[in-house]
Amino acid sequence: MPLFGTDGVRGLANGPLTADLALTLAQATAVVLGQGRTADARRAAGHRLTAVVARDPRVSGEFLAAAVCAGLASSGVDVLEAGVLPTPALAYLIADHDADFGVMVSASHNPAPDNGIKIFARGGVKLPDVVEQRIEHALAGPKLQPTGADIGRIRRFSDAEDRYALHLLASLPHRLDGLHVVLDCAHGAASGVSPETFKDAGARVTVIGADPDGWNINDGVGSTHLAQLAEHVVRVGADVGIAHDGDADRCLAVDAAGNIVDGDQIMAILAVAMKDRGHLANDTLVATVMSNLGLHRAMAANGITVEQTAVGDRYVLERMNEGGFALGGEQSGHVIMSEYATTGDGILTGLHLVAEMARQGKTLAELASIMTVYPQVLINVRDVDRTRASADEVLADAVASVAAELGDSGRVLLRPSGTEEMVRVMVEAADEAQAQEFAESLAGVVRERLAL
């Protein structure tokens, strides 16, 4: 089984993800990313390779980040240790400091016992699959073992959070004065920088989920648990609620009445606003195949093209880079604004969303009404042979029949899992009962035709 998943290396800390693995992975990264013309030119000019390392607040991040720093320094890489920071902050600082690469220790929205290691290349961009494969291959190969003055140094990146906050504030098209924002920081990496940045942008801020103790990250709070945020927004009479996940690369929102505004709706609001300001490259938004049909309808009505990718923010990023597009993301709240970031940035997204409320003088509910959310039913059909899903003619006929009956008023999607013996059945329709009926019918066909 490959070591790298869709978003780095992830697993139970001190289970599969040990200090030994973290150290060895860092050494292999130094071998692979220390090669090439850019690295050779920097060494020829007398510059040592430099990496930025950060983590989220979960307790296992302390020993895993220490192991990463040790592996890099023992390979002759100078390390700037940035402490607890959001993943997008690390990505920004790699580029801002002109570092050769960076390593983030985080399991994002996963519970506290898990952790992960994400590696970013020069410029703060995620690694392509081929480079991750080279690093995995290098795990068993020879390591760099400099001695004497060639050993790397580990230094504290003392102004990392301030640099990132100033970057966020400089990106804003409008201040947030007069708006009351509730922030849910998921007891995660955004707990320090997000509240301060929203306050500096002019908002009145109420904060929940900002007391990390190493174990409470994502525990009943954050972008995967919105009930507490919705209740708090209504109770204090706030204008909007913004929720991050553990490493703050996601943003979901809640309007003043406690209604959830998901990633598709956020992208719709930002896309139209960016188009109006002339900042939406080629009048195009990049979204995954799981984005709601309502997003496609809303974008078409506003003269915006939607480019579709496979599920995963890395595929969104790849398409954005290929086409030079400025905005993309996922329903889950990974929103990428390439003018300001190289990856999904939950704080940046939240700031720009609230800035649109202030700029237009509208409530979040009014802004979100640009898009009608179609009922979407998703059924995970387990213990089936996913490899046969695309070749089964009976299943294909059943999908075609449902698609024909839905016509322009709905959509059907069958997606085999990339890691489990499972097929996901997704149906959208104008009526929720109809979507549920069609989804259950297709799930039955999948079970019958693909049973193991």
PDB file of all heavy atoms in Angstrom, residues 2 5 19 28 36 107 127 130 143 166 168 198 203 232 245-246 265 268 277 298 308-309 327 388 400 446:
ATOM      1  N   PRO A   2       0.575   2.256  -0.848  1.00  0.00           N
ATOM      2  CA  PRO A   2       1.419   3.454  -0.901  1.00  0.00           C
ATOM      3  C   PRO A   2       1.444   4.182   0.435  1.00  0.00           C
ATOM      4  O   PRO A   2       0.442   4.216   1.159  1.00  0.00           O
ATOM      5  CB  PRO A   2       0.735   4.305  -1.982  1.00  0.00           C
ATOM      6  CG  PRO A   2      -0.090   3.358  -2.778  1.00  0.00           C
ATOM      7  CD  PRO A   2      -0.500   2.278  -1.838  1.00  0.00           C
ATOM      8  N   GLY A   5      -1.026   9.295   0.837  1.00  0.00           N
ATOM      9  CA  GLY A   5      -2.420   9.299   0.417  1.00  0.00           C
ATOM     10  C   GLY A   5      -2.702  10.531  -0.412  1.00  0.00           C
ATOM     11  O   GLY A   5      -1.802  11.123  -1.011  1.00  0.00           O
ATOM     12  N   ALA A  19       7.848   8.129  15.391  1.00  0.00           N
ATOM     13  CA  ALA A  19       8.940   9.092  15.330  1.00  0.00           C
ATOM     14  C   ALA A  19      10.017   8.624  14.353  1.00  0.00           C
ATOM     15  O   ALA A  19      10.611   9.421  13.625  1.00  0.00           O
ATOM     16  CB  ALA A  19       9.532   9.298  16.721  1.00  0.00           C
ATOM     17  N   ALA A  28      14.622  11.270   3.752  1.00  0.00           N
ATOM     18  CA  ALA A  28      14.362  10.953   2.349  1.00  0.00           C
ATOM     19  C   ALA A  28      13.930  12.195   1.573  1.00  0.00           C
ATOM     20  O   ALA A  28      14.295  12.379   0.407  1.00  0.00           O
ATOM     21  CB  ALA A  28      13.282   9.865   2.251  1.00  0.00           C
ATOM     22  N   GLY A  36      18.521  18.592  -8.080  1.00  0.00           N
ATOM     23  CA  GLY A  36      17.988  19.456  -9.135  1.00  0.00           C
ATOM     24  C   GLY A  36      18.790  20.729  -9.313  1.00  0.00           C
ATOM     25  O   GLY A  36      19.623  21.106  -8.471  1.00  0.00           O
ATOM     26  N   ALA A 107      -3.025  16.322  10.997  1.00  0.00           N
ATOM     27  CA  ALA A 107      -4.002  15.410  10.410  1.00  0.00           C
ATOM     28  C   ALA A 107      -5.302  16.151  10.103  1.00  0.00           C
ATOM     29  O   ALA A 107      -6.372  15.543  10.062  1.00  0.00           O
ATOM     30  CB  ALA A 107      -4.272  14.222  11.329  1.00  0.00           C
ATOM     31  N   LEU A 127       3.369  18.634  -3.412  1.00  0.00           N
ATOM     32  CA  LEU A 127       4.195  17.799  -4.276  1.00  0.00           C
ATOM     33  C   LEU A 127       3.334  17.031  -5.275  1.00  0.00           C
ATOM     34  O   LEU A 127       2.281  16.505  -4.914  1.00  0.00           O
ATOM     35  CB  LEU A 127       4.985  16.787  -3.450  1.00  0.00           C
ATOM     36  CG  LEU A 127       5.959  17.331  -2.411  1.00  0.00           C
ATOM     37  CD1 LEU A 127       6.661  16.162  -1.727  1.00  0.00           C
ATOM     38  CD2 LEU A 127       6.970  18.263  -3.041  1.00  0.00           C
ATOM     39  N   VAL A 130       4.528  12.060  -8.617  1.00  0.00           N
ATOM     40  CA  VAL A 130       5.799  11.454  -9.002  1.00  0.00           C
ATOM     41  C   VAL A 130       6.903  11.774  -7.988  1.00  0.00           C
ATOM     42  O   VAL A 130       7.764  10.932  -7.712  1.00  0.00           O
ATOM     43  CB  VAL A 130       6.206  11.895 -10.429  1.00  0.00           C
ATOM     44  CG1 VAL A 130       6.462  13.405 -10.498  1.00  0.00           C
ATOM     45  CG2 VAL A 130       7.413  11.118 -10.910  1.00  0.00           C
ATOM     46  N   LYS A 143      21.139   7.787   3.004  1.00  0.00           N
ATOM     47  CA  LYS A 143      20.774   9.114   3.498  1.00  0.00           C
ATOM     48  C   LYS A 143      21.982  10.045   3.431  1.00  0.00           C
ATOM     49  O   LYS A 143      23.134   9.614   3.346  1.00  0.00           O
ATOM     50  CB  LYS A 143      20.267   9.025   4.941  1.00  0.00           C
ATOM     51  CG  LYS A 143      19.115   8.045   5.138  1.00  0.00           C
ATOM     52  CD  LYS A 143      17.890   8.414   4.310  1.00  0.00           C
ATOM     53  CE  LYS A 143      16.691   7.525   4.609  1.00  0.00           C
ATOM     54  NZ  LYS A 143      16.856   6.138   4.125  1.00  0.00           N
ATOM     55  N   LEU A 166      -0.164  39.642   8.418  1.00  0.00           N
ATOM     56  CA  LEU A 166      -0.031  40.840   7.574  1.00  0.00           C
ATOM     57  C   LEU A 166      -0.364  40.528   6.117  1.00  0.00           C
ATOM     58  O   LEU A 166      -0.979  41.333   5.418  1.00  0.00           O
ATOM     59  CB  LEU A 166       1.389  41.407   7.686  1.00  0.00           C
ATOM     60  CG  LEU A 166       1.731  42.064   9.023  1.00  0.00           C
ATOM     61  CD1 LEU A 166       3.220  42.413   9.079  1.00  0.00           C
ATOM     62  CD2 LEU A 166       0.884  43.328   9.227  1.00  0.00           C
ATOM     63  N   LEU A 168      -2.493  38.215   5.090  1.00  0.00           N
ATOM     64  CA  LEU A 168      -3.950  38.074   5.005  1.00  0.00           C
ATOM     65  C   LEU A 168      -4.631  39.435   4.952  1.00  0.00           C
ATOM     66  O   LEU A 168      -5.525  39.672   4.125  1.00  0.00           O
ATOM     67  CB  LEU A 168      -4.472  37.284   6.210  1.00  0.00           C
ATOM     68  CG  LEU A 168      -4.067  35.814   6.314  1.00  0.00           C
ATOM     69  CD1 LEU A 168      -4.516  35.238   7.658  1.00  0.00           C
ATOM     70  CD2 LEU A 168      -4.656  35.004   5.169  1.00  0.00           C
ATOM     71  N   PHE A 198      -9.039  38.739  12.255  1.00  0.00           N
ATOM     72  CA  PHE A 198     -10.387  39.276  12.057  1.00  0.00           C
ATOM     73  C   PHE A 198     -10.579  40.574  12.838  1.00  0.00           C
ATOM     74  O   PHE A 198     -11.205  41.521  12.342  1.00  0.00           O
ATOM     75  CB  PHE A 198     -11.436  38.242  12.460  1.00  0.00           C
ATOM     76  CG  PHE A 198     -11.841  37.310  11.350  1.00  0.00           C
ATOM     77  CD1 PHE A 198     -11.107  36.172  11.084  1.00  0.00           C
ATOM     78  CD2 PHE A 198     -12.949  37.581  10.556  1.00  0.00           C
ATOM     79  CE1 PHE A 198     -11.473  35.303  10.051  1.00  0.00           C
ATOM     80  CE2 PHE A 198     -13.317  36.738   9.525  1.00  0.00           C
ATOM     81  CZ  PHE A 198     -12.579  35.589   9.260  1.00  0.00           C
ATOM     82  N   ALA A 203     -13.518  43.627  12.445  1.00  0.00           N
ATOM     83  CA  ALA A 203     -14.704  42.920  12.915  1.00  0.00           C
ATOM     84  C   ALA A 203     -14.770  42.903  14.443  1.00  0.00           C
ATOM     85  O   ALA A 203     -13.750  42.955  15.135  1.00  0.00           O
ATOM     86  CB  ALA A 203     -14.718  41.490  12.386  1.00  0.00           C
ATOM     87  N   HIS A 232     -24.402  29.320  18.672  1.00  0.00           N
ATOM     88  CA  HIS A 232     -23.731  30.485  19.252  1.00  0.00           C
ATOM     89  C   HIS A 232     -24.034  31.749  18.442  1.00  0.00           C
ATOM     90  O   HIS A 232     -24.256  32.820  19.022  1.00  0.00           O
ATOM     91  CB  HIS A 232     -22.222  30.236  19.308  1.00  0.00           C
ATOM     92  CG  HIS A 232     -21.557  30.850  20.494  1.00  0.00           C
ATOM     93  ND1 HIS A 232     -21.432  30.201  21.713  1.00  0.00           N
ATOM     94  CD2 HIS A 232     -21.010  32.068  20.669  1.00  0.00           C
ATOM     95  CE1 HIS A 232     -20.814  30.989  22.577  1.00  0.00           C
ATOM     96  NE2 HIS A 232     -20.544  32.134  21.963  1.00  0.00           N
ATOM     97  N   ASP A 245     -11.145  24.050  10.278  1.00  0.00           N
ATOM     98  CA  ASP A 245     -10.832  22.713  10.762  1.00  0.00           C
ATOM     99  C   ASP A 245      -9.492  22.777  11.497  1.00  0.00           C
ATOM    100  O   ASP A 245      -8.955  23.862  11.714  1.00  0.00           O
ATOM    101  CB  ASP A 245     -10.814  21.693   9.621  1.00  0.00           C
ATOM    102  CG  ASP A 245      -9.753  21.988   8.578  1.00  0.00           C
ATOM    103  OD1 ASP A 245      -9.331  23.157   8.481  1.00  0.00           O
ATOM    104  OD2 ASP A 245      -9.334  21.071   7.851  1.00  0.00           O
ATOM    105  N   GLY A 246      -8.960  21.609  11.876  1.00  0.00           N
ATOM    106  CA  GLY A 246      -7.796  21.576  12.753  1.00  0.00           C
ATOM    107  C   GLY A 246      -6.579  22.311  12.248  1.00  0.00           C
ATOM    108  O   GLY A 246      -5.841  22.922  13.035  1.00  0.00           O
ATOM    109  N   GLN A 265     -21.480  27.196  -1.885  1.00  0.00           N
ATOM    110  CA  GLN A 265     -22.101  28.520  -1.774  1.00  0.00           C
ATOM    111  C   GLN A 265     -21.057  29.617  -1.579  1.00  0.00           C
ATOM    112  O   GLN A 265     -21.170  30.701  -2.151  1.00  0.00           O
ATOM    113  CB  GLN A 265     -23.106  28.519  -0.620  1.00  0.00           C
ATOM    114  CG  GLN A 265     -24.302  27.612  -0.844  1.00  0.00           C
ATOM    115  CD  GLN A 265     -25.087  27.381   0.423  1.00  0.00           C
ATOM    116  OE1 GLN A 265     -24.640  26.667   1.331  1.00  0.00           O
ATOM    117  NE2 GLN A 265     -26.255  27.982   0.511  1.00  0.00           N
ATOM    118  N   ALA A 268     -19.512  30.274  -4.888  1.00  0.00           N
ATOM    119  CA  ALA A 268     -20.424  31.028  -5.748  1.00  0.00           C
ATOM    120  C   ALA A 268     -20.366  32.516  -5.423  1.00  0.00           C
ATOM    121  O   ALA A 268     -20.284  33.364  -6.322  1.00  0.00           O
ATOM    122  CB  ALA A 268     -21.847  30.499  -5.589  1.00  0.00           C
ATOM    123  N   ARG A 277     -15.117  42.394  -9.994  1.00  0.00           N
ATOM    124  CA  ARG A 277     -13.919  43.218  -9.785  1.00  0.00           C
ATOM    125  C   ARG A 277     -12.835  42.957 -10.830  1.00  0.00           C
ATOM    126  O   ARG A 277     -11.762  43.556 -10.773  1.00  0.00           O
ATOM    127  CB  ARG A 277     -13.337  42.968  -8.389  1.00  0.00           C
ATOM    128  CG  ARG A 277     -14.274  43.272  -7.248  1.00  0.00           C
ATOM    129  CD  ARG A 277     -13.530  43.494  -5.929  1.00  0.00           C
ATOM    130  NE  ARG A 277     -12.460  42.533  -5.708  1.00  0.00           N
ATOM    131  CZ  ARG A 277     -12.606  41.367  -5.077  1.00  0.00           C
ATOM    132  NH1 ARG A 277     -13.805  41.011  -4.632  1.00  0.00           N
ATOM    133  NH2 ARG A 277     -11.594  40.566  -4.891  1.00  0.00           N
ATOM    134  N   ALA A 298     -25.974  28.400 -10.983  1.00  0.00           N
ATOM    135  CA  ALA A 298     -25.720  29.779 -10.574  1.00  0.00           C
ATOM    136  C   ALA A 298     -24.575  30.395 -11.366  1.00  0.00           C
ATOM    137  O   ALA A 298     -24.644  31.564 -11.770  1.00  0.00           O
ATOM    138  CB  ALA A 298     -25.408  29.825  -9.076  1.00  0.00           C
ATOM    139  N   GLN A 308     -14.528  21.020 -14.071  1.00  0.00           N
ATOM    140  CA  GLN A 308     -14.664  19.951 -13.088  1.00  0.00           C
ATOM    141  C   GLN A 308     -13.411  19.088 -12.999  1.00  0.00           C
ATOM    142  O   GLN A 308     -12.747  18.842 -14.006  1.00  0.00           O
ATOM    143  CB  GLN A 308     -15.859  19.068 -13.431  1.00  0.00           C
ATOM    144  CG  GLN A 308     -17.205  19.683 -13.101  1.00  0.00           C
ATOM    145  CD  GLN A 308     -18.325  18.679 -13.259  1.00  0.00           C
ATOM    146  OE1 GLN A 308     -18.567  18.164 -14.340  1.00  0.00           O
ATOM    147  NE2 GLN A 308     -19.004  18.392 -12.163  1.00  0.00           N
ATOM    148  N   THR A 309     -13.123  18.633 -11.760  1.00  0.00           N
ATOM    149  CA  THR A 309     -11.988  17.735 -11.526  1.00  0.00           C
ATOM    150  C   THR A 309     -12.452  16.562 -10.666  1.00  0.00           C
ATOM    151  O   THR A 309     -13.571  16.545 -10.152  1.00  0.00           O
ATOM    152  CB  THR A 309     -10.852  18.453 -10.785  1.00  0.00           C
ATOM    153  OG1 THR A 309     -11.220  18.612  -9.394  1.00  0.00           O
ATOM    154  CG2 THR A 309     -10.547  19.816 -11.380  1.00  0.00           C
ATOM    155  N   LEU A 327      -9.706  30.840  -8.871  1.00  0.00           N
ATOM    156  CA  LEU A 327     -10.561  30.386  -7.787  1.00  0.00           C
ATOM    157  C   LEU A 327     -11.000  28.950  -8.023  1.00  0.00           C
ATOM    158  O   LEU A 327     -11.384  28.581  -9.140  1.00  0.00           O
ATOM    159  CB  LEU A 327     -11.803  31.280  -7.680  1.00  0.00           C
ATOM    160  CG  LEU A 327     -12.795  30.954  -6.548  1.00  0.00           C
ATOM    161  CD1 LEU A 327     -12.165  31.219  -5.181  1.00  0.00           C
ATOM    162  CD2 LEU A 327     -14.075  31.775  -6.696  1.00  0.00           C
ATOM    163  N   ARG A 388     -15.194  -3.313 -10.945  1.00  0.00           N
ATOM    164  CA  ARG A 388     -16.116  -3.699 -12.009  1.00  0.00           C
ATOM    165  C   ARG A 388     -17.180  -2.644 -12.280  1.00  0.00           C
ATOM    166  O   ARG A 388     -18.009  -2.811 -13.172  1.00  0.00           O
ATOM    167  CB  ARG A 388     -16.809  -5.031 -11.645  1.00  0.00           C
ATOM    168  CG  ARG A 388     -15.829  -6.182 -11.540  1.00  0.00           C
ATOM    169  CD  ARG A 388     -16.452  -7.555 -11.304  1.00  0.00           C
ATOM    170  NE  ARG A 388     -17.877  -7.601 -11.128  1.00  0.00           N
ATOM    171  CZ  ARG A 388     -18.491  -8.133 -10.056  1.00  0.00           C
ATOM    172  NH1 ARG A 388     -17.756  -8.596  -9.058  1.00  0.00           N
ATOM    173  NH2 ARG A 388     -19.804  -8.190  -9.979  1.00  0.00           N
ATOM    174  N   ALA A 400     -28.014   5.376 -16.645  1.00  0.00           N
ATOM    175  CA  ALA A 400     -28.523   6.139 -17.788  1.00  0.00           C
ATOM    176  C   ALA A 400     -30.021   6.375 -17.673  1.00  0.00           C
ATOM    177  O   ALA A 400     -30.536   7.447 -18.022  1.00  0.00           O
ATOM    178  CB  ALA A 400     -28.191   5.410 -19.087  1.00  0.00           C
ATOM    179  N   VAL A 446     -26.090  -1.676  -7.529  1.00  0.00           N
ATOM    180  CA  VAL A 446     -24.653  -1.829  -7.258  1.00  0.00           C
ATOM    181  C   VAL A 446     -24.411  -3.065  -6.385  1.00  0.00           C
ATOM    182  O   VAL A 446     -23.518  -3.876  -6.666  1.00  0.00           O
ATOM    183  CB  VAL A 446     -24.089  -0.563  -6.580  1.00  0.00           C
ATOM    184  CG1 VAL A 446     -22.659  -0.816  -6.087  1.00  0.00           C
ATOM    185  CG2 VAL A 446     -24.105   0.622  -7.538  1.00  0.00           C
TER     186      VAL A 446
END
